[in-house]
Amino acid sequence: MEWNEKLAVGIKTVDSQHKELFKRINNLVRAIKEHRCKSEIDGMLKFLDDYARVHFAEEEKHMKETGYPGIEEQREQHKKYLESLAELKAEASLPRIKCSSYDLSATTNQVVVVWIVDHILKTDMKFGDYLRSKGK
Ligand SMILES: [Fe+2]
């Protein structure tokens, strides 16, 4: 899954951070599929978590500054995402025979891939529309 123009919210920093998130997610999915080592996968998950936190904080700051009324919905979704990521991290840290498992790959797809596409298209896009309607 790659970032494409349909996912453009129209806010430069947000879009470039989304692209970076896609890159990191793709790296993680690839690492899981290729059964790479647990330490590598743990490291990637941590990176993804850190990056998502920075990105969400920035998005929310931007929303606050522009008086965006949908900020609570955003905060809720961001929080849920970080919770799912924490669950994924816990699952990834469980001892296992192989370096990774099918289960982990399925969870990752559900937690990060499906979420981000859905979130950008349905929720972040509304913020982009809001800014455009305000001429910002
Ligand atoms: Fe968001």
Side-chain angles (χ1 to χ4, degrees), residues 45-97:
L45 275 167
K46 186 180 178 327
F47 231 89
L48 193 61
D49 189 64
D50 291 344
Y51 194 83
R53 279 171 204 279
V54 169
H55 168 64
F56 292 161
E58 225 167 277
E59 254 186 26
E60 288 170 21
K61 185 172 160 255
H62 197 173
M63 287 170 193
K64 212 175 155 192
E65 281 167 1
T66 56
Y68 179 54
I71 189 166
E72 275 315 311
E73 183 192 15
Q74 279 278 356
R75 279 203 181 118
E76 270 305 304
Q77 290 195 10
H78 291 163
K79 209 176 123 216
K80 279 213 181 90
Y81 175 80
L82 292 175
E83 284 166 9
S84 308
L85 210 54
E87 280 171 29
L88 188 59
K89 269 166 54 183
E91 197 180 317
S93 70
L94 292 175
R96 51 182 181 263
I97 301 160

Side-chain angles (χ1 to χ4, degrees), residues 1 20-49 52 81 84-89 91-93 96 99-113 116:
M1 181 208 52
E20 187 63 29
L21 270 172
F22 272 81
K23 230 165 80 186
R24 295 199 189 287
I25 291 167
N26 281 329
N27 288 343
L28 173 68
V29 170
R30 199 173 311 121
I32 292 171
K33 276 190 188 141
E34 291 170 1
H35 297 271
R36 293 223 218 110
C37 287
K38 190 174 156 338
S39 61
E40 196 179 345
I41 289 168
D42 286 348
M44 286 173 130
L45 275 167
K46 186 180 178 327
F47 231 89
L48 193 61
D49 189 64
Y81 175 80
S84 308
L85 210 54
E87 280 171 29
L88 188 59
K89 269 166 54 183
E91 197 180 317
S93 70
R96 51 182 181 263
C99 271
S100 62
S101 64
Y102 170 74
D103 274 2
L104 189 57
S105 155
T107 314
T108 308
N109 268 308
Q110 187 56 38
V111 169
V112 283
V113 181
I116 195 172

